[in-house]
Amino acid sequence: MDFKLFTDQLAHADQDCIIAGVFKTTKDSAQSPAFNSLDTATGGQLSDMLASHDIASAAGKITWLHRPTGINSPRLMLVGCGNADEFDAGNFRKACMAAGKALRSSRAASAVCALSELDVSERDAAWTLQTAALDLAHNDYLYTRTKKPGKNASPATDEVAFISAAGDTVLAQAAAIAAGVDSARHLGDAPPNLCTPEDLAEHARQLADSQEKVTVEILEPEAMHELGMHALLAVGQGSANPPRLVALHYRGADGDDAPYVLVGKGITFDTGGISIKPGANMEQMKYDMCGAASVLGAFEAAVRLALPLNISCVVAAAENMPDGKAYRPGDVITTMSGKTVEVLNTDAEGRMVLCDALTWSSRMKPAAIVDVATLTGACVVALGHHASAIMTKHDSLADELFSAGQHTHDRAWRLPLWDDYQQQIDTDFADMKNVGGMPAGSITAGCFLSRFVEDQRWAHLDIAGAAWQWGKNSGCTGRPVRLLTQWLSDRCG
Ligand code: BES
Ligand code: MN
Ligand code: ZN
């Protein structure tokens, strides 16, 4: 989907479809500018329909009109925006996502989108344009790796022209971010027999090949052994698909500027290992590499945005399988840091692969490290599917990530990482154990990770609830690519 700006008269647009917002009418409320100009062009037809309740104005409701008189475009999509005086980022996104979904199934090859000119409370024109573009592109996504679109599938929309006071640079930025989100979703949705640790490595190689300022480093098990990454190796040792540590480095700033490092959990399938998971819904554990997918996606977006920063992206990729060679409960493993871990549950594998990736990443002397992981079911219990969890001891870093989430509406919420929780992972047989019991399961996982980044400016994002949807609109959400990309953009000063 390509983006451009629309500057003509709306009624004269020759695109296949016009997308315009409609607010609930109250005594003295204003309608959207597009609604008003189209209403005039149709000789008042739209306001008549609205008065007789034939146009839905609740946020996210769609009304299609065909060949309205006085309008050149054959179709008009009216998108409910709710009350004009409550038009915030949430309702705006509801409208844009609904419009995107309707556009995706409409067979329109081109469209004009007027939602991007609306006034959204506490947001400027650039935000509104970028968000509209990203939300339409989000709905344009179609998974194709193992299913080709059928003969009757509705084709993607080639081009959308937006009405906005903001400029072309915003659209170029939106296209860069959309590409990162799209890549993340393709990786996330790929099945675990194809999306193996080596497949993630291959994705990274191709990204490095296509971008001048990007280099790639792939560690295979032999190199991991030499470095002492026995925790990452332990998780992978039960699988026929050997683990990989994948690193991408982008030099957008001076050679010696400290890099921002994103670390992703890349468990390409999580059976639980010897502490095997119940069978029901186990297929969802193909999404256990969504942390990796999102850091790769955010990295790609940052490179496409040509951010003047040094950025590295590190993926700890392994498959967690039960096997004669698999690691087991009771094992004590020496991590790359030298700290020992007693394994009490092989299903707490995410923290095992991440601890070595964090130790390895710390050697880059980063300006900040943020790891992203579908780490705990407890996070879904705590925050549901609406927010990622932020855990860090660094208030300023928490604030940066929180505001990037608020700004992009790819929201995150902080959980405490107080030292009081640390004793839950103490054990007599090693420096720590890999589970902390029932209370505060997400936080004790964060505590575990914190022990490997003691002198680093580090934060952990648990995306177990945000990374994918099941049932309606199922699939990888591409979160938190928007949050991470915003956070990196904000670092450019
Ligand atoms: N990948 C899972 C976490 C998960 C579960 C994410 C459900 C999304 C939905 C992780 O590896 C895991 O199994 N965690 C265990 C930890 C426990 C053994 C301490 C969990 O959450 O049950
Ligand atoms: Mn697990
Ligand atoms: Zn897992």
Side-chain angles (χ1 to χ4, degrees):
M1 177 182 281
D2 294 332
F3 306 141
K4 67 174 186 182
L5 289 172
F6 182 83
T7 47
D8 200 2
Q9 290 271 349
L10 202 45
H12 300 165
D14 57 8
Q15 277 83 352
D16 291 347
C17 155
I18 296 173
I19 304 169
V22 50
F23 289 108
K24 273 191 184 146
T25 23
T26 53
K27 246 197 323 292
D28 44 19
S29 70
Q31 262 309 339
S32 74
F35 185 95
N36 287 334
S37 77
L38 294 169
D39 189 40
T40 308
T42 59
Q45 197 188 334
L46 298 188
S47 42
D48 280 355
M49 284 184 73
L50 189 61
S52 61
H53 300 278
D54 291 322
I55 293 173
S57 54
K61 293 284 182 226
I62 302 288
T63 307
W64 281 101
L65 297 186
H66 285 262
R67 305 208 169 279
T69 24
I71 297 176
N72 189 42
S73 178
R75 277 184 291 181
L76 173 58
M77 185 205 300
L78 291 167
V79 188
C81 293
N83 288 321
D85 53 3
E86 291 166 10
F87 198 50
D88 57 7
N91 272 352
F92 179 68
R93 288 209 58 206
K94 245 191 213 168
C96 290
M97 290 297 275
K101 201 172 171 194
L103 184 64
R104 184 66 188 85
S105 50
S106 73
R107 298 177 176 270
S110 60
V112 184
C113 177
L115 296 172
S116 40
E117 70 171 339
L118 296 174
D119 278 327
V120 182
S121 67
E122 290 171 38
R123 308 287 159 150
D124 61 13
W127 182 89
T128 308
L129 176 59
Q130 183 178 97
T131 304
L134 285 172
D135 284 349
L136 293 193
H138 192 90
N139 286 282
D140 200 47
Y141 168 82
L142 189 65
Y143 170 79
T144 50
R145 189 155 170 190
T146 48
K147 182 177 181 179
K148 302 303 164 205
K151 262 207 278 354
N152 296 320
S154 67
T157 305
D158 297 326
E159 189 180 67
V160 180
F162 293 90
I163 305 180
S164 174
D168 280 318
T169 43
V170 174
L171 286 179
Q173 288 165 348
I177 301 165
V181 172
D182 203 66
S183 296
R185 296 177 75 191
H186 275 102
L187 284 174
D189 284 335
N193 57 326
L194 299 183
C195 183
T196 57
E198 171 53 25
D199 191 62
L200 289 176
E202 184 52 30
H203 174 86
R205 272 187 213 107
Q206 283 176 15
L207 192 64
D209 280 350
S210 68
Q211 301 286 344
E212 207 187 313
K213 291 182 175 168
V214 176
T215 56
V216 67
E217 230 180 316
I218 313 260
L219 305 190
E220 301 201 353
E222 207 176 309
M224 293 178 201
H225 265 291
E226 269 165 38
L227 287 162
M229 295 181 161
H230 300 296
L232 174 49
L233 284 165
V235 173
Q237 76 195 26
S239 170
N241 299 306
R244 297 280 186 266
L245 185 110
V246 181
L248 286 163
H249 308 287
Y250 162 68
R251 290 280 162 274
D254 285 349
D256 42 357
D257 276 18
Y260 289 89
V261 182
L262 302 175
V263 178
K265 170 178 173 182
I267 298 296
T268 59
F269 194 70
D270 182 12
T271 63
I274 296 299
S275 314
I276 198 162
K277 288 181 181 294
N281 302 324
M282 201 200 274
E283 69 282 1
Q284 292 185 20
M285 285 299 124
K286 75 170 185 178
Y287 290 114
D288 214 15
M289 37 60 69
C290 282
S294 70
V295 298
L296 287 164
F299 180 89
E300 179 180 342
V303 173
R304 287 176 182 258
L305 288 167
L307 296 184
L309 301 172
N310 293 334
I311 304 170
S312 290
C313 170
V314 177
V315 166
E319 187 180 41
N320 189 21
M321 297 290 263
D323 182 75
K325 291 197 197 113
Y327 80 135
R328 43 183 116 44
D331 283 2
V332 173
I333 293 173
T334 304
T335 63
M336 183 181 175
S337 70
K339 292 184 177 171
T340 54
V341 176
E342 183 185 19
V343 178
L344 289 188
N345 191 321
T346 63
D347 198 11
E349 84 298 337
R351 61 199 81 180
M352 301 294 292
V353 300
L354 285 172
C355 71
D356 282 343
L358 288 171
T359 302
W360 191 79
S361 299
S362 300
R363 296 190 174 178
M364 292 187 244
K365 307 226 176 307
I369 311 185
V370 176
D371 79 70
V372 186
T374 50
L375 204 62
T376 61
C379 184
V380 190
V381 176
L383 296 175
H385 300 284
H386 301 292
S388 305
I390 305 172
M391 282 161 258
T392 178
K393 294 183 184 178
H394 303 269
D395 293 344
S396 62
L397 185 52
D399 292 347
E400 289 170 15
L401 292 164
F402 178 78
S403 39
Q406 291 299 113
H407 183 76
T408 55
H409 208 254
D410 179 1
R411 290 172 298 176
W413 201 258
R414 191 175 182 186
L415 298 179
L417 204 57
W418 299 322
D419 287 339
D420 310 61
Y421 295 100
Q422 288 283 352
Q423 43 106 353
Q424 284 179 241
I425 55 170
D426 288 342
T427 167
D428 291 338
F429 300 108
D431 294 326
M432 69 201 88
K433 53 186 176 182
N434 77 334
V435 295
M438 190 275 284
S442 301
I443 295 173
T444 53
C447 287
F448 181 99
L449 298 177
S450 75
R451 295 184 180 202
F452 297 87
V453 276
E454 273 164 349
D455 348 291
Q456 304 295 322
R457 193 161 175 269
W458 159 83
H460 158 59
L461 297 180
D462 194 332
I463 60 162
W468 80 87
Q469 282 175 298
W470 204 245
K472 216 174 122 211
N473 299 323
S474 65
C476 176
T477 59
R479 290 179 66 188
V481 172
R482 291 197 204 182
L483 180 160
L484 293 169
T485 310
Q486 184 65 41
W487 176 68
L488 289 169
S489 301
D490 291 343
R491 306 278 70 72
C492 300

